[in-house]
Amino acid sequence: MVLKTRLNIKVMVILMTLSAAFQGFSSENNPENHSKSINIRGVTSLVISYTTAHLTLLESDNDELVLKEYTNEQNPENFGNIFLEGSALSIIEGPRMSPNQTNVKIDVYIPRSYRENCSIYINSGALTSEKDLILKNLVIELSDGSITLGRVSAENIHIKSANGNIKMDYGEGSMRLDTISGSIVVQSARGAGTFKTSLGRIAVGMAYVTGDLLFETGIGAIALSLPGELSFHVDALTGSGNIRLYAPDKQYRVNNSGPMNLSVGSAPVCTIRSRTGVGNITINMNAPALGGIF
């Protein structure tokens, strides 16, 4: 009887120890939400800068910008900071000396009414926007990570990732999208611009063209969708691959590498230049969306 009681006590001690261990593990792996907010009425420049972060842009329905950091850090001095100087607002990470704070999740709620300039700089991580970005100018730079955007409209859109894919549902304005290693995919766009990658495919659906377009990749296919009524010059070249242009009244083909230089329509208003070292180039004027050219 005494032996049985001792065994029961040992079992209870073990269970209590395991329970405490699991609770500790759970608390360590469920970061807390640290929140700050500020009224940004009158702000004309918003800059977000983090070394390492998974950043999500969301929308607030008032004039409050809200910063939420999900981190295990307990020292308030290591949280991100919001600085307002005149009409310029900056969100900058804290020191975060703790080695386990290398992959922080951050949510930034931007007021729906904000229509000014926005710049985002992240060394490594990822950026996702669940908010429609309607701005004067947008600059996004990631050294290592993917960029996923919804609807973006700005006079100038400059997006750059040294290593990562760039995806945008809709873009409007003068666009420059660059990545060294990664694909560029824009489902629908209005405007003009440059799209470059060294290693990866480029797929862009242009709903309306306002100026010249340049598409360039070292290794990868280029697939474009253009309005059926557009008149333009074609300047396409692939080092190894085929070129196909599907116009409303005719199909143009270049097999086994080589250039394609011609005009489509009666009065060309722009030049579309496409370059790939290895890969096919497909230009389709009969597809209403990107889904029609894959």
Side-chain angles (χ1 to χ4, degrees):
M1 184 67 177
V2 175
L3 179 61
K4 183 177 181 181
T5 301
R6 289 178 177 175
L7 287 174
N8 288 338
I9 292 173
K10 288 183 178 180
V11 170
M12 290 178 63
V13 170
I14 292 172
L15 290 175
M16 291 173 64
T17 302
L18 289 174
S19 176
F22 279 117
Q23 287 177 3
F25 178 84
S26 177
S27 64
E28 290 177 359
N29 289 275
N30 288 280
E32 295 182 17
N33 170 9
H34 303 281
S35 180
K36 295 180 180 180
S37 63
I38 187 172
N39 189 302
I40 66 168
R41 185 180 299 172
V43 169
T44 60
S45 174
L46 170 61
V47 177
I48 302 173
S49 179
Y50 276 83
T51 301
T52 302
H54 282 68
L55 172 63
T56 301
L57 301 180
L58 300 156
E59 183 175 87
S60 65
D61 55 6
N62 53 38
D63 291 330
E64 293 285 318
L65 179 145
V66 180
L67 166 65
K68 292 184 178 181
E69 287 186 319
Y70 300 86
T71 171
N72 296 321
E73 180 60 60
Q74 299 300 318
N75 186 352
E77 294 182 357
N78 290 334
F79 301 156
N81 296 303
I82 301 176
F83 299 96
L84 179 61
E85 296 182 5
S87 61
L89 185 142
S90 301
I91 299 175
I92 301 175
E93 68 178 1
R96 273 199 207 94
M97 302 305 292
S98 177
N100 65 338
Q101 304 303 317
T102 59
N103 193 16
V104 179
K105 181 181 182 298
I106 300 165
D107 291 342
V108 175
Y109 293 77
I110 302 175
R112 182 183 304 142
S113 59
Y114 186 75
R115 296 287 189 271
E116 302 296 333
N117 302 295
C118 181
S119 300
I120 300 172
Y121 305 98
I122 301 175
N123 188 48
S124 64
L127 170 63
T128 302
S129 177
E130 299 180 8
K131 166 184 166 50
D132 290 347
L133 299 173
I134 305 174
L135 305 163
K136 285 186 178 179
N137 297 287
L138 174 65
V139 175
I140 298 174
E141 293 188 9
L142 268 72
S143 296
D144 185 8
S146 61
I147 299 170
T148 305
L149 305 174
R151 298 178 64 85
V152 179
S153 178
E155 294 178 14
N156 297 287
I157 302 170
H158 185 190
I159 300 173
K160 182 178 180 180
S161 176
N163 181 26
N165 298 324
I166 299 174
K167 181 180 179 181
M168 185 187 304
D169 290 339
Y170 175 82
E172 180 174 359
S174 177
M175 293 167 280
R176 182 177 180 88
L177 277 61
D178 295 284
T179 180
I180 296 176
S181 177
S183 298
I184 297 174
V185 177
V186 181
Q187 293 292 331
S188 180
R190 297 173 65 90
T194 299
F195 307 80
K196 289 185 176 182
T197 178
S198 297
L199 178 60
R201 69 184 179 114
I202 298 175
V204 178
M206 297 298 305
Y208 189 78
V209 180
T210 61
D212 293 344
L213 294 165
L214 170 62
F215 306 90
E216 187 175 294
T217 178
I219 300 177
I222 298 175
L224 312 177
S225 174
L226 299 174
E229 68 279 4
L230 183 66
S231 294
F232 59 98
H233 296 292
V234 177
D235 178 7
L237 175 66
T238 175
S240 177
N242 303 318
I243 304 175
R244 300 286 186 269
L245 168 59
Y246 300 99
D249 58 345
K250 187 177 180 180
Q251 293 186 9
Y252 302 87
R253 297 173 178 265
V254 174
N255 295 323
N256 301 322
S257 308
M260 176 183 284
N261 292 282
L262 54 87
S263 295
V264 177
S266 57
V269 296
C270 64
T271 296
I272 297 179
R273 180 183 172 95
S274 301
R275 295 285 188 275
T276 179
V278 179
N280 297 325
I281 298 175
T282 304
I283 304 173
N284 196 337
M285 302 180 67
N286 300 314
L290 277 183
I293 60 176
F294 291 117

